[in-house]
Amino acid sequence: MLRALALLPLLLPLAATAGSPFLPSRAQFDALFPERIAFYTYEGFVEAVRQTPGFADADSDTERRQEMAAFLGQIAHESDQLRAQREYRRENWGNYCRDDARLSCAPGQQYYGRGPIQLSWNYQYKAAGDFLGIDLWADPDRVARDSTVAWRTALWYWMTQPGESRAPAHAALRGGQGFAATTRAINGPLECDKPGDAEALRKNKRRIDFYKHASQMFGVPLLHPLGC
């Protein structure tokens, strides 16, 4: 009986009503990311979700949970289980400036991966900042200093950016294209449609494993296809 009671917090997400987002409980969040660094606060995550209309707020409670599971599964891979505040490979930090007639790079700034989804490139920082109403082009490191901003950039990408796919991850899920379509929107050219590429297959499996774990915790069925 005591053992069952000890597990109870994992089964109690924050209450959601129709039209409001599903939010995992703090205990669930901690269980999904047991080694996360202090920067990725639960409070920052919750605030960012509440500032993102449309995310994980479908009419069906199951669909709300499924989108949250897919998002957190992808985030777990992208951020090394919320342990990567900034891109690990410092040798690549200066490689993300597309300086052309449309957009330059701010003096002294670098646009390497930061945050839960590892936001990269000057044009992505500019677009995310414009959407959020803050200047991330001039101050890209704010994504690695402000937890809520970091989470909001990840949700901005999830909701609005198709990458090399036909639709952003959010729209692809709502359109019934499965978890595979979210991977395609995030990193399609490097990981999808490569059956003979061992590294691409490894990364795809890692995303799927994280997604399965979150889906099991939230008590919802998987959205197939899983692999892209």
Side-chain angles (χ1 to χ4, degrees), residues 66-84:
Q66 285 175 319
E67 180 167 16
M68 183 62 76
F71 174 73
L72 293 179
Q74 292 288 9
I75 289 305
H77 173 80
E78 288 288 310
S79 67
D80 190 23
Q81 301 177 76
L82 295 184
R83 293 180 294 188

Side-chain angles (χ1 to χ4, degrees), residues 116-195:
I117 211 163
Q118 294 290 279
L119 185 69
S120 306
W121 293 95
N122 56 322
Y123 54 90
Q124 293 278 34
Y125 278 90
K126 179 68 164 64
D130 287 349
F131 186 85
L132 300 179
I134 54 181
D135 190 354
L136 296 179
W137 176 81
D139 184 14
D141 205 55
R142 184 170 176 180
V143 178
R145 299 194 315 268
D146 185 318
S147 179
T148 299
V149 168
W151 281 109
R152 291 189 72 198
T153 63
L155 286 164
W156 163 80
Y157 192 96
W158 181 267
M159 298 295 292
T160 69
Q161 300 302 295
E164 300 295 325
S165 184
R166 290 175 294 178
H170 171 76
L173 278 187
R174 290 286 179 94
Q177 297 175 43
F179 181 73
T182 68
T183 300
R184 191 173 293 276
I186 292 170
N187 214 25
L190 298 179
E191 295 182 33
C192 296
D193 305 319
K194 295 185 174 183

